[in-house]
Amino acid sequence: KYYPPDFDPAKIPKLKLPKDRQYVVRLMAPFNMRCKTCGEYIYKGKKFNARKETVQNEAYLGLPIFRFYIKCTRCLAEITFKTDPENTDYTMEHGATRNFQAEKLLEEEEKRMQKEREEEELNNPMKVLENRTKDSKLEMEVLENLQELKELNQRQANVDFEAMLKQYKELEEEQRRKEQE
């Protein structure tokens, strides 16, 4: 390209883009969902051309939160979901319902049980002692099982398969000799 000698790049006007500008991106559905309008199932991994925008006035520890707009494959209804960096997941906004997630429910139940146990231990010192003894018994059982497995593996490792095969061949040869005699 030719640049004339009097060219000044500072005189070129800057492009003023809006903050809430939407980009078209290609993405996969991050979870299984079902369209509220037609009932179509959209499975995790289905590819979509989506519009992506940065959510205004929302951030998590300085990370921007993005909103995605996709269309249902059957009825073309709009479905939106956002990133959820706090839980390293996505949250459904509208247009569809998220299908059942066993793992998430299990984690929530585990957290709830842990919280209940901690509250109980704060109020009752005897419960702390009971939980400690229960934990130590469980740990002892696990260690015993581990020791049994180690012993079993050592017994299995001491078996010399070559010697066994050699002994078996010798027995076969001896039986053949006896049969021939």
Side-chain angles (χ1 to χ4, degrees):
K1 289 186 175 185
Y2 172 74
Y3 293 103
D6 61 335
F7 175 73
D8 185 14
K11 291 181 181 175
I12 297 175
K14 294 279 185 194
L15 245 164
K16 299 289 182 192
L17 296 175
K19 280 278 189 189
D20 59 346
R21 181 174 176 213
Q22 292 185 345
Y23 298 93
V24 175
V25 293
R26 183 87 168 158
L27 62 79
M28 290 182 171
F31 45 80
N32 297 330
M33 57 187 122
R34 186 173 183 194
C35 179
K36 284 183 179 175
T37 321
C38 65
E40 174 77 4
Y41 284 101
I42 299 169
Y43 296 101
K44 180 178 181 176
K46 175 92 174 106
K47 291 183 180 176
F48 290 96
N49 290 325
R51 295 189 332 267
K52 175 184 108 172
E53 71 177 9
T54 306
V55 180
Q56 297 298 314
N57 303 326
E58 274 190 58
Y60 174 73
L61 299 176
L63 296 171
I65 294 175
F66 298 106
R67 180 178 287 124
F68 299 96
Y69 300 90
I70 61 173
K71 298 217 181 270
C72 174
T73 51
R74 188 195 289 171
C75 67
L76 299 177
E78 194 170 65
I79 299 169
T80 64
F81 53 90
K82 294 191 304 187
T83 56
D84 184 13
E86 184 175 0
N87 300 316
T88 61
D89 199 15
Y90 292 83
T91 54
M92 176 59 67
E93 281 195 314
H94 74 273
T97 55
R98 192 166 177 169
N99 285 2
F100 180 73
Q101 296 175 291
E103 289 178 18
K104 193 171 184 180
L105 289 174
L106 189 68
E107 285 178 13
E108 288 174 0
E109 180 70 19
E110 201 172 282
K111 284 181 185 176
R112 189 182 60 77
M113 293 288 281
Q114 185 68 24
K115 198 173 189 178
E116 284 179 7
R117 183 176 172 176
E118 287 174 4
E119 285 179 12
E120 203 172 66
E121 286 178 354
L122 283 173
N123 299 334
N124 190 352
M126 281 303 286
K127 198 67 174 173
V128 175
L129 189 61
E130 287 175 14
N131 286 340
R132 274 192 203 151
T133 55
K134 203 181 293 181
D135 289 343
S136 63
K137 281 182 185 177
L138 186 68
E139 192 175 330
M140 292 294 283
E141 286 178 20
V142 168
L143 285 173
E144 286 174 9
N145 290 342
L146 185 64
Q147 190 65 33
E148 286 177 21
L149 285 173
K150 282 182 180 179
E151 288 173 6
L152 187 68
N153 283 342
Q154 283 177 347
R155 274 189 259 143
Q156 195 73 19
N158 290 339
V159 175
D160 187 14
F161 293 106
E162 293 298 322
M164 284 177 62
L165 287 172
K166 189 175 179 183
Q167 188 178 11
Y168 179 71
K169 285 181 182 178
E170 288 174 1
L171 282 170
E172 273 187 346
E173 287 177 18
E174 194 175 316
Q175 283 179 351
R176 270 195 233 130
R177 269 190 263 127
K178 285 182 182 178
E179 285 176 10
Q180 287 176 357
E181 287 176 7

